[in-house]
Amino acid sequence: MTVIDVNVEQDSTVEVSKGKNGLVRTGGAVAALVGVLAILPSVLSPFNLIFAAQILIYATVALSLQLLWGRAGQLSFGQAAFFGIGAYSYAIVGTRYDIGGWLSVGIAVAVPVLMAFVLGYFLFFGKVRDAYFSIVTLAFVLIANQVVISWRSVTGGDTGLTRVPGLVLPFGAFSIDFSTRNGRYYLAATVLLVGLLVLLWVRSSSFGLVLEAIRDDENRAAFLGYNTSWYLTAAFTLSAAIAGLAGGMFASVSTLAAPDMLDQFLSIQILTWVAIGGRNYLAGALVGTVIMRILSDQISSFLTDSWPLVVGLFFIIVVLAFPQGIVGELTRIKNRNVARLGGRRANVSPK
Amino acid sequence: MDSLISFVLNAAFLVSILSLVALGLGVIYGLLGVINMAHGELIAIGAYTVVVLTELGLPYWTALAVAPAVGMVLGMLLEATLIRRLTDRPLDAILVTVGLSLVLQQTLKAWFGATARSVPSPINGTFDLLGVSYPLFRVMIIVVATAIMALTFVFFVKSSFGLVVQAIFQNREAAVTNGVNAGKYNRIAFGLGTALAAFAGSLLAPSAAVLPQMGAFYLGPAFIAVILGGEKRLLGAVAGAAFMGGLEVFIGDTFTRTWGRVGVLILAIIVIRMWPGGLVREPKARVA
Amino acid sequence: MSAPSKTSPSLVLESVTVKFGGLTVLDDLSLEFGHSPISSLIGPNGAGKTTVFNTFSGIVEPTTGRLLLDGEDITGRSPIDIARAGVVRKFQVPTVFHGITVADNLKIAVDAPRERSLRQQEGSAQSWEPTDVAKQFGLMSKMNALASELSHGERQWLEIGMAFLAHPRFLLLDEPAAGLGPEESTHTADLIKNISEHCKTIVIEHDMKFIRELGGDVTVLHQGQLLRHGSMEEIESDQVVRDVYLGREANA
């Protein structure tokens, strides 16, 4: 065919090099994170180490919400439900049926996955999206909470389940004991890294790209032939898998499963972590969780019971004034400086 | 037969409260495109208005008239300060109203404490229907709620305000280009929605434990009622409330209350899957 | 590269009526596309042009009548299935994925799922790569820019480029020259002529000069019915068409 020569530029190397740089940067960031995680046990007190372990697991749930909200554009209140269902699944099989090891991890993931798949399938193929989707997930967490509180014989009702066994994972001939104090911390760190690696894979995959396309314009994606309902169902299910894993391991690390691991307020808090850190960034979910958990700990030591008020105010201010969150704002400032210094172009983040 | 009658009365009670709540949500969503997550706190504010006024010695009936006015004023204030910035940013509106819900709930808790307050029932008799006796006050709630709903519909169908609102429902851009001051209508509609919630709360006050988080019980089903009703259809919201309330009481009476909740959610999700456009709707062009 | 595809594609409306409420938008309309590489669909506002596209792409289901692709009845199929069968659409208002880069927009288009038979077809548009299209459409220097940073014209080209990459057998372009300046418009016509060597292209346009530049055959709709079909010269000299459409345009 005849090529019309308009603005043909030999610029195709740019993307490759950008991709490579991005990979190096991401690799560097993950390595730095592993370094920090490795140092923490030697600098933190035993009490703070378990506190840190809980933060790492919360951060994993925040990451799982970032997939659904930041990447796929669907705001879910269901994260705490899947977290809690994972926690209760692990705790119930551990305390009542003496099931542990890989099987208990598998159950903590499988139960939320099954529920998310069924719920997601019915909602997304029922054309429920956006605000309506958020509402149904809210109803889901409210009802899941009510079930957990009233189904006493299995869930322990208001008090929940205590003395949940820790995790011992066999690897062939030997096994790793994650039930010691340091072991519990390393379990949390492993959960975070597993979640992070899965989500980094999604970010670089064509699956993740299609999710972003659906976020931007679902109809356009459908008219290209993508079955967008399947993609959203898959994202919802994957997100629930990570949240469920985190929940199960949270029950193992804190040796209990309680109704406040599965309630509306936890869901709202997870949303604030992601919103405050920066909803469009994986790093945002991490940063937001760490800051808000430490802040929560500090504030509740002198202002008892007012944490929900602080969360509420933070939420309103961030959404209205800094919708891109901490990482988003930092990126903006950095790009502005780069642009001023003659950089190629400011990478203004979407929406 | 007895159980049928008590089922009908229990269902009618829940449906009438849910309808008021859902109607308020529906008006706000229809006009502003905002899902008001703080709607439950307005139910509580309506109930607390009754608590305060009756403790001051005023009759319940006065409080019943004041509560929706409080809801209306508060709603219009919220619209003017916060919600105004969020029209057509549906997800951000959800986040901000979630924040607002926490702030309002904590404020109520700080003011009135976390223990339940109660309001004495203004009517103590029972009502005998074919051998089933039922609290007269609850019957009154059903009647009053139905009357208010009917009034709301008449208002939307007959008044010039209502007609403009319907025009905005149909096509916001066209209405604005035709010189409709959408901002003014947004404020009134938001106030109307919150007034309905506060009114529901004031009706509930004598027969429920008045708590800052009391609205949460009604909010979930009311939201789903709006979805079931189909987008931007007020009558649909009431139909959805009838579905949610009726089935919840039916399943709850047959099994347990928790099962009522779980069952009705499962059924609602199945209905949404089967009739994506909602229960009440017109044929429309299909979009992916 | 310009080897014609083995089968001769055809896209047909068979006595299709579309009603919205009481309003008849398409009235027992029969159209056949596929003989000519480029076909243009014109007509005054409200003639039903976009509804024809909406029917072809499965957005609107005919009240009566059938929709055929290569003789196969595809009436009632979902937009996703129709896209997978190779009927690809560009919208009137350019719609691209604004939050991701131009390169990623093109990648999503070229990766779009297709029926196996379509994947295996040789020649035609199937062998194209995003960089080929970016070069053709002058988007090479913008590959790493977000789609939201593009100009209106660039966005039009990106969407046409995406539709072209998405393995089309029929490319439906709704007002590809809308909002473009004269030079951009001519360039767009050249691009479309170029891609029409690889897939059948149907264009809705108001701009008569643009349609003249495109060449190909022209179908005139009026009040949901077929008014005339022929070459641009025939259409322009047709008295009936002049009365209902072109004349009005000239007077305006």
Side-chain angles (χ1 to χ4, degrees):
Chain A
M1 70 172 283
T2 46
V3 173
I4 310 159
D5 282 286
V6 226
N7 302 330
V8 175
E9 292 176 28
Q10 299 307 316
D11 203 10
S12 52
T13 52
V14 172
E15 204 201 2
V16 181
S17 68
K18 177 198 154 210
K20 216 178 255 168
N21 275 341
L23 209 62
V24 169
R25 253 205 327 259
T26 306
V30 173
L33 178 66
V34 171
V36 171
L37 292 178
I39 290 169
L40 283 180
S42 45
V43 292
L44 289 180
S45 69
F47 176 79
N48 280 338
L49 196 62
I50 290 302
F51 181 62
Q54 294 188 341
I55 293 182
L56 298 183
I57 293 183
Y58 281 135
T60 314
V61 193
L63 286 173
S64 76
L65 177 66
Q66 198 276 335
L67 167 70
L68 203 56
W69 181 19
R71 197 158 301 279
Q74 297 300 321
L75 180 66
S76 173
F77 285 91
Q79 234 55 21
F82 297 122
F83 179 80
I85 290 167
Y88 272 97
S89 302
Y90 178 89
I92 290 168
V93 298
T95 53
R96 299 195 188 276
Y97 304 102
D98 214 17
I99 292 173
W102 288 108
L103 186 57
S104 63
V105 177
I107 288 169
V109 175
V111 177
V113 157
L114 202 66
M115 295 181 108
F117 178 76
V118 172
L119 186 65
Y121 173 80
F122 273 86
L123 293 182
F124 290 123
F125 282 86
K127 308 294 174 218
V128 175
R129 301 283 191 280
D130 307 328
Y132 281 178
F133 172 77
S134 305
I135 293 175
V136 178
T137 56
L138 176 73
F140 179 66
V141 73
L142 288 173
I143 290 166
N145 181 262
Q146 199 174 344
V147 169
V148 155
I149 289 175
S150 47
W151 199 8
R152 281 202 194 83
S153 57
V154 174
T155 61
D158 286 310
T159 43
L161 296 167
T162 51
R163 275 184 269 172
V164 173
L167 189 65
V168 179
L169 286 183
F171 288 89
F174 61 99
S175 65
I176 300 180
D177 186 354
F178 284 116
S179 64
T180 64
R181 187 181 293 130
N182 276 14
R184 287 194 269 158
Y185 170 81
Y186 286 119
L187 176 62
T190 309
V191 167
L192 175 66
L193 289 173
V194 167
L196 185 61
L197 288 178
V198 169
L199 293 169
L200 282 171
W201 169 79
V202 171
R203 193 176 73 171
S204 65
S205 70
S206 48
F207 170 64
L209 190 57
V210 175
L211 290 181
E212 288 184 73
I214 291 171
R215 175 197 66 197
D216 284 351
D217 192 331
E218 186 182 346
N219 280 337
R220 174 73 271 184
F223 285 116
L224 283 170
Y226 287 99
N227 194 329
T228 55
S229 299
W230 273 125
Y231 275 87
L232 290 171
T233 306
F236 188 54
T237 308
L238 178 60
S239 168
I242 296 170
L245 174 71
M249 298 311 100
F250 194 90
S252 168
V253 165
S254 31
T255 70
L256 58 91
D260 67 353
M261 292 180 192
L262 198 166
D263 74 357
Q264 185 192 4
F265 184 54
L266 180 59
S267 267
I268 293 172
Q269 288 191 82
I270 299 168
L271 280 172
T272 56
W273 303 336
V274 177
I276 286 166
R279 61 183 85 162
N280 288 319
Y281 308 87
L282 284 172
L286 291 180
V287 171
T289 310
V290 172
I291 290 178
M292 289 301 280
R293 286 316 298 173
I294 292 174
L295 209 61
S296 154
D297 190 54
Q298 296 299 313
I299 286 178
S300 38
S301 64
F302 63 91
L303 276 175
T304 43
D305 291 344
S306 57
W307 178 240
L309 183 72
V310 177
V311 170
L313 287 173
F314 252 68
F315 218 11
I316 296 174
I317 293 164
V318 166
V319 174
L320 287 178
F322 310 102
Q324 293 303 318
I326 294 169
V327 175
E329 290 299 320
L330 289 178
T331 311
R332 199 170 58 89
I333 292 167
K334 193 188 98 192
N335 282 333
R336 203 170 45 204
N337 290 341
V338 170
R340 206 188 302 142
L341 293 170
R344 272 176 53 86
R345 62 179 200 86
N347 190 348
V348 185
S349 47
K351 280 197 278 202
Chain B
M1 188 64 196
D2 286 5
S3 63
L4 179 69
I5 290 167
S6 72
F7 159 69
V8 168
L9 288 169
N10 281 329
F13 177 74
L14 183 59
V15 169
S16 58
I17 297 291
L18 271 185
S19 297
L20 285 178
V21 178
L23 198 55
L25 285 171
V27 169
I28 292 171
Y29 184 71
L31 209 62
L32 289 85
V34 165
I35 304 266
N36 179 23
M37 303 293 282
H39 212 64
E41 280 61 43
L42 277 131
I43 298 177
I45 286 170
Y48 276 111
T49 307
V50 175
V51 169
V52 170
L53 292 183
T54 49
E55 281 176 6
L56 286 173
L58 289 168
Y60 174 74
W61 310 106
T62 317
L64 201 58
V66 174
V70 170
M72 178 108 198
V73 171
L74 188 62
M76 289 173 78
L77 273 173
L78 289 173
E79 201 282 337
T81 49
L82 284 179
I83 309 298
R84 194 167 54 82
R85 301 161 202 272
L86 297 163
T87 34
D88 301 322
R89 282 166 66 190
L91 292 193
D92 284 347
I94 289 182
L95 299 177
V96 168
T97 52
V98 162
L100 186 63
S101 144
L102 290 174
V103 171
L104 289 175
Q105 212 176 93
Q106 291 303 307
T107 312
L108 287 174
K109 207 175 265 179
W111 232 322
F112 298 102
T115 46
R117 305 288 277 269
S118 63
V119 174
S121 178
I123 306 175
N124 284 318
T126 54
F127 175 83
D128 287 315
L129 183 69
L130 301 171
V132 177
S133 71
Y134 197 71
L136 193 57
F137 177 66
R138 289 197 158 212
V139 177
M140 187 220 79
I141 288 181
I142 297 169
V143 173
V144 173
T146 313
I148 291 292
M149 261 184 294
L151 264 176
T152 311
F153 278 108
V154 170
F155 179 67
F156 274 102
V157 176
K158 295 283 181 205
S159 74
S160 61
F161 175 88
L163 293 175
V164 177
V165 166
Q166 292 210 1
I168 302 176
F169 265 42
Q170 298 297 324
N171 189 337
R172 187 178 189 88
E173 273 170 47
V176 171
T177 31
N178 283 326
V180 170
N181 178 355
K184 186 183 91 181
Y185 285 91
N186 281 353
R187 191 152 310 158
I188 298 175
F190 196 84
L192 209 62
T194 51
L196 285 168
F199 188 66
S202 64
L203 284 176
L204 273 172
S207 48
V210 178
L211 282 165
Q213 68 274 21
M214 67 186 286
F217 182 82
Y218 300 93
L219 202 58
F223 274 136
I224 295 180
V226 175
I227 300 181
L228 282 175
E231 198 156 335
K232 310 200 164 177
R233 290 186 187 282
L234 294 182
L235 199 60
V238 175
F243 177 96
M244 296 299 288
L247 279 174
E248 178 162 344
V249 172
F250 178 72
I251 303 171
D253 282 358
T254 316
F255 302 97
T256 64
R257 277 182 70 179
T258 306
W259 272 113
R261 284 262 138 152
V262 175
V264 79
L265 179 74
I266 292 172
L267 289 173
I269 288 170
I270 291 171
V271 169
I272 289 167
R273 172 71 184 88
M274 287 167 67
W275 293 284
L279 293 170
V280 182
R281 62 183 176 144
E282 290 171 357
K284 223 168 73 176
R286 192 152 54 106
V287 180
Chain C
M1 250 175 116
S2 55
S5 54
K6 286 167 194 162
T7 56
S8 165
S10 74
L11 186 59
V12 173
L13 287 186
E14 198 179 81
S15 33
V16 163
T17 297
V18 171
K19 288 183 182 173
F20 294 138
L23 190 69
T24 303
V25 187
L26 298 184
D27 187 2
D28 194 26
L29 180 65
S30 294
L31 294 176
E32 180 167 356
F33 293 100
H35 298 304
S36 164
I38 299 189
S39 311
S40 298
L41 198 55
I42 65 172
N45 284 331
K49 303 181 297 285
T50 298
T51 308
V52 168
F53 273 18
N54 285 346
T55 310
F56 277 142
S57 44
I59 302 174
V60 170
E61 212 174 321
T63 314
T64 58
R66 295 200 304 164
L67 176 63
L68 305 171
L69 176 63
D70 300 345
E72 193 191 342
D73 189 346
I74 56 167
T75 321
R77 290 227 199 141
S78 72
I80 295 171
D81 286 345
I82 288 176
R84 287 184 175 185
V87 179
V88 187
R89 171 84 183 267
K90 178 217 159 302
F91 290 88
Q92 197 168 337
V93 178
T95 46
V96 295
F97 304 116
H98 54 259
I100 58 180
T101 63
V102 170
D104 283 342
N105 269 279
L106 295 172
K107 179 172 159 41
I108 283 183
V110 79
D111 287 348
R114 286 294 172 266
E115 285 175 5
R116 189 162 297 152
S117 60
L118 207 55
R119 280 273 180 213
Q120 288 165 344
Q121 253 181 25
E122 287 170 29
S124 71
Q126 319 314 325
S127 54
W128 280 61
E129 290 295 325
T131 43
D132 302 327
V133 169
K135 278 177 193 154
Q136 282 278 309
F137 286 73
L139 292 167
M140 245 358 235
S141 63
K142 304 277 183 170
M143 285 295 255
N144 291 323
L146 295 178
S148 59
E149 296 167 9
L150 298 182
S151 71
H152 177 80
E154 289 168 333
R155 236 176 268 180
Q156 290 274 32
W157 292 329
L158 175 58
E159 196 185 3
I160 298 171
M162 285 165 69
F164 178 57
L165 274 175
H167 317 287
R169 316 190 57 205
F170 279 90
L171 197 56
L172 314 183
L173 305 175
D174 199 344
E175 301 201 16
L180 299 184
E183 271 178 44
E184 287 180 319
S185 176
T186 303
H187 175 51
T188 306
D190 288 339
L191 289 172
I192 293 173
K193 272 195 286 196
N194 223 325
I195 57 187
S196 70
E197 290 175 24
H198 305 274
C199 63
K200 306 289 181 186
T201 307
I202 312 171
V203 177
I204 293 179
E205 247 312 327
H206 287 290
D207 181 352
M208 289 303 135
K209 181 172 162 289
F210 185 81
I211 291 173
R212 244 173 262 125
E213 284 173 345
L214 280 182
D217 65 352
V218 178
T219 301
V220 190
L221 293 187
H222 182 54
Q223 294 177 343
Q225 292 178 320
L226 178 66
L227 189 68
R228 282 292 183 273
H229 176 88
S231 71
M232 192 60 187
E233 293 77 36
E234 288 163 8
I235 296 296
E236 280 183 304
S237 58
D238 189 296
Q239 194 51 47
V240 181
V241 176
R242 294 180 76 90
D243 286 346
V244 306
Y245 183 40
L246 297 174
R248 194 184 303 169
E249 199 98 322
N251 293 337

PDB file of all heavy atoms in Angstrom, chain B residues 85-97:
ATOM      1  N   ARG B  85     -20.375  20.788  45.321  1.00  0.00           N
ATOM      2  CA  ARG B  85     -19.106  20.565  44.618  1.00  0.00           C
ATOM      3  C   ARG B  85     -19.039  19.190  43.984  1.00  0.00           C
ATOM      4  O   ARG B  85     -18.050  18.863  43.335  1.00  0.00           O
ATOM      5  CB  ARG B  85     -17.942  20.660  45.609  1.00  0.00           C
ATOM      6  CG  ARG B  85     -17.856  21.986  46.309  1.00  0.00           C
ATOM      7  CD  ARG B  85     -17.013  21.851  47.580  1.00  0.00           C
ATOM      8  NE  ARG B  85     -17.321  22.910  48.519  1.00  0.00           N
ATOM      9  CZ  ARG B  85     -16.727  24.081  48.518  1.00  0.00           C
ATOM     10  NH1 ARG B  85     -15.779  24.333  47.638  1.00  0.00           N
ATOM     11  NH2 ARG B  85     -17.061  25.025  49.362  1.00  0.00           N
ATOM     12  N   LEU B  86     -20.047  18.353  44.200  1.00  0.00           N
ATOM     13  CA  LEU B  86     -19.908  16.938  43.855  1.00  0.00           C
ATOM     14  C   LEU B  86     -20.908  16.439  42.832  1.00  0.00           C
ATOM     15  O   LEU B  86     -20.922  15.257  42.512  1.00  0.00           O
ATOM     16  CB  LEU B  86     -20.058  16.086  45.125  1.00  0.00           C
ATOM     17  CG  LEU B  86     -18.971  16.336  46.165  1.00  0.00           C
ATOM     18  CD1 LEU B  86     -19.384  15.808  47.509  1.00  0.00           C
ATOM     19  CD2 LEU B  86     -17.690  15.686  45.711  1.00  0.00           C
ATOM     20  N   THR B  87     -21.772  17.322  42.317  1.00  0.00           N
ATOM     21  CA  THR B  87     -22.737  16.835  41.333  1.00  0.00           C
ATOM     22  C   THR B  87     -21.974  16.301  40.127  1.00  0.00           C
ATOM     23  O   THR B  87     -20.987  16.898  39.689  1.00  0.00           O
ATOM     24  CB  THR B  87     -23.684  17.954  40.876  1.00  0.00           C
ATOM     25  OG1 THR B  87     -22.956  19.170  40.869  1.00  0.00           O
ATOM     26  CG2 THR B  87     -24.864  18.085  41.816  1.00  0.00           C
ATOM     27  N   ASP B  88     -22.411  15.158  39.637  1.00  0.00           N
ATOM     28  CA  ASP B  88     -21.793  14.497  38.495  1.00  0.00           C
ATOM     29  C   ASP B  88     -20.367  14.044  38.767  1.00  0.00           C
ATOM     30  O   ASP B  88     -19.585  13.874  37.841  1.00  0.00           O
ATOM     31  CB  ASP B  88     -21.872  15.385  37.242  1.00  0.00           C
ATOM     32  CG  ASP B  88     -23.314  15.708  36.904  1.00  0.00           C
ATOM     33  OD1 ASP B  88     -24.162  14.818  37.069  1.00  0.00           O
ATOM     34  OD2 ASP B  88     -23.595  16.843  36.504  1.00  0.00           O
ATOM     35  N   ARG B  89     -20.007  13.890  40.030  1.00  0.00           N
ATOM     36  CA  ARG B  89     -18.788  13.141  40.379  1.00  0.00           C
ATOM     37  C   ARG B  89     -19.265  12.044  41.323  1.00  0.00           C
ATOM     38  O   ARG B  89     -18.971  12.065  42.506  1.00  0.00           O
ATOM     39  CB  ARG B  89     -17.794  14.050  41.105  1.00  0.00           C
ATOM     40  CG  ARG B  89     -17.021  14.980  40.178  1.00  0.00           C
ATOM     41  CD  ARG B  89     -16.333  16.076  40.980  1.00  0.00           C
ATOM     42  NE  ARG B  89     -15.293  15.572  41.867  1.00  0.00           N
ATOM     43  CZ  ARG B  89     -14.698  16.331  42.793  1.00  0.00           C
ATOM     44  NH1 ARG B  89     -15.041  17.598  42.966  1.00  0.00           N
ATOM     45  NH2 ARG B  89     -13.762  15.825  43.562  1.00  0.00           N
ATOM     46  N   PRO B  90     -20.005  11.061  40.798  1.00  0.00           N
ATOM     47  CA  PRO B  90     -20.741  10.137  41.661  1.00  0.00           C
ATOM     48  C   PRO B  90     -19.868   9.409  42.688  1.00  0.00           C
ATOM     49  O   PRO B  90     -20.254   9.275  43.839  1.00  0.00           O
ATOM     50  CB  PRO B  90     -21.392   9.158  40.691  1.00  0.00           C
ATOM     51  CG  PRO B  90     -20.793   9.427  39.375  1.00  0.00           C
ATOM     52  CD  PRO B  90     -20.236  10.798  39.377  1.00  0.00           C
ATOM     53  N   LEU B  91     -18.669   8.963  42.258  1.00  0.00           N
ATOM     54  CA  LEU B  91     -17.865   8.185  43.202  1.00  0.00           C
ATOM     55  C   LEU B  91     -17.306   9.079  44.312  1.00  0.00           C
ATOM     56  O   LEU B  91     -17.281   8.708  45.483  1.00  0.00           O
ATOM     57  CB  LEU B  91     -16.738   7.443  42.492  1.00  0.00           C
ATOM     58  CG  LEU B  91     -17.192   6.307  41.564  1.00  0.00           C
ATOM     59  CD1 LEU B  91     -16.022   5.437  41.155  1.00  0.00           C
ATOM     60  CD2 LEU B  91     -18.276   5.451  42.193  1.00  0.00           C
ATOM     61  N   ASP B  92     -16.856  10.281  43.934  1.00  0.00           N
ATOM     62  CA  ASP B  92     -16.369  11.203  44.961  1.00  0.00           C
ATOM     63  C   ASP B  92     -17.497  11.609  45.904  1.00  0.00           C
ATOM     64  O   ASP B  92     -17.284  11.793  47.099  1.00  0.00           O
ATOM     65  CB  ASP B  92     -15.753  12.452  44.309  1.00  0.00           C
ATOM     66  CG  ASP B  92     -14.379  12.164  43.736  1.00  0.00           C
ATOM     67  OD1 ASP B  92     -13.827  11.095  44.065  1.00  0.00           O
ATOM     68  OD2 ASP B  92     -13.855  12.990  42.979  1.00  0.00           O
ATOM     69  N   ALA B  93     -18.699  11.730  45.346  1.00  0.00           N
ATOM     70  CA  ALA B  93     -19.843  12.075  46.191  1.00  0.00           C
ATOM     71  C   ALA B  93     -20.071  10.977  47.230  1.00  0.00           C
ATOM     72  O   ALA B  93     -20.375  11.258  48.393  1.00  0.00           O
ATOM     73  CB  ALA B  93     -21.088  12.263  45.334  1.00  0.00           C
ATOM     74  N   ILE B  94     -19.894   9.730  46.819  1.00  0.00           N
ATOM     75  CA  ILE B  94     -20.039   8.623  47.770  1.00  0.00           C
ATOM     76  C   ILE B  94     -19.016   8.774  48.886  1.00  0.00           C
ATOM     77  O   ILE B  94     -19.344   8.688  50.075  1.00  0.00           O
ATOM     78  CB  ILE B  94     -19.860   7.267  47.055  1.00  0.00           C
ATOM     79  CG1 ILE B  94     -21.063   7.004  46.163  1.00  0.00           C
ATOM     80  CG2 ILE B  94     -19.681   6.140  48.061  1.00  0.00           C
ATOM     81  CD1 ILE B  94     -21.013   5.690  45.454  1.00  0.00           C
ATOM     82  N   LEU B  95     -17.772   9.062  48.504  1.00  0.00           N
ATOM     83  CA  LEU B  95     -16.715   9.161  49.514  1.00  0.00           C
ATOM     84  C   LEU B  95     -17.002  10.295  50.490  1.00  0.00           C
ATOM     85  O   LEU B  95     -16.901  10.126  51.709  1.00  0.00           O
ATOM     86  CB  LEU B  95     -15.364   9.403  48.840  1.00  0.00           C
ATOM     87  CG  LEU B  95     -14.893   8.314  47.878  1.00  0.00           C
ATOM     88  CD1 LEU B  95     -13.588   8.693  47.221  1.00  0.00           C
ATOM     89  CD2 LEU B  95     -14.740   7.003  48.626  1.00  0.00           C
ATOM     90  N   VAL B  96     -17.346  11.456  49.958  1.00  0.00           N
ATOM     91  CA  VAL B  96     -17.555  12.612  50.836  1.00  0.00           C
ATOM     92  C   VAL B  96     -18.757  12.378  51.749  1.00  0.00           C
ATOM     93  O   VAL B  96     -18.703  12.689  52.943  1.00  0.00           O
ATOM     94  CB  VAL B  96     -17.736  13.891  50.005  1.00  0.00           C
ATOM     95  CG1 VAL B  96     -18.237  15.022  50.871  1.00  0.00           C
ATOM     96  CG2 VAL B  96     -16.413  14.287  49.371  1.00  0.00           C
ATOM     97  N   THR B  97     -19.822  11.790  51.207  1.00  0.00           N
ATOM     98  CA  THR B  97     -20.981  11.587  52.077  1.00  0.00           C
ATOM     99  C   THR B  97     -20.713  10.460  53.084  1.00  0.00           C
ATOM    100  O   THR B  97     -21.295  10.461  54.166  1.00  0.00           O
ATOM    101  CB  THR B  97     -22.268  11.317  51.267  1.00  0.00           C
ATOM    102  OG1 THR B  97     -22.030  10.267  50.336  1.00  0.00           O
ATOM    103  CG2 THR B  97     -22.721  12.550  50.524  1.00  0.00           C
TER     104      THR B  97
END
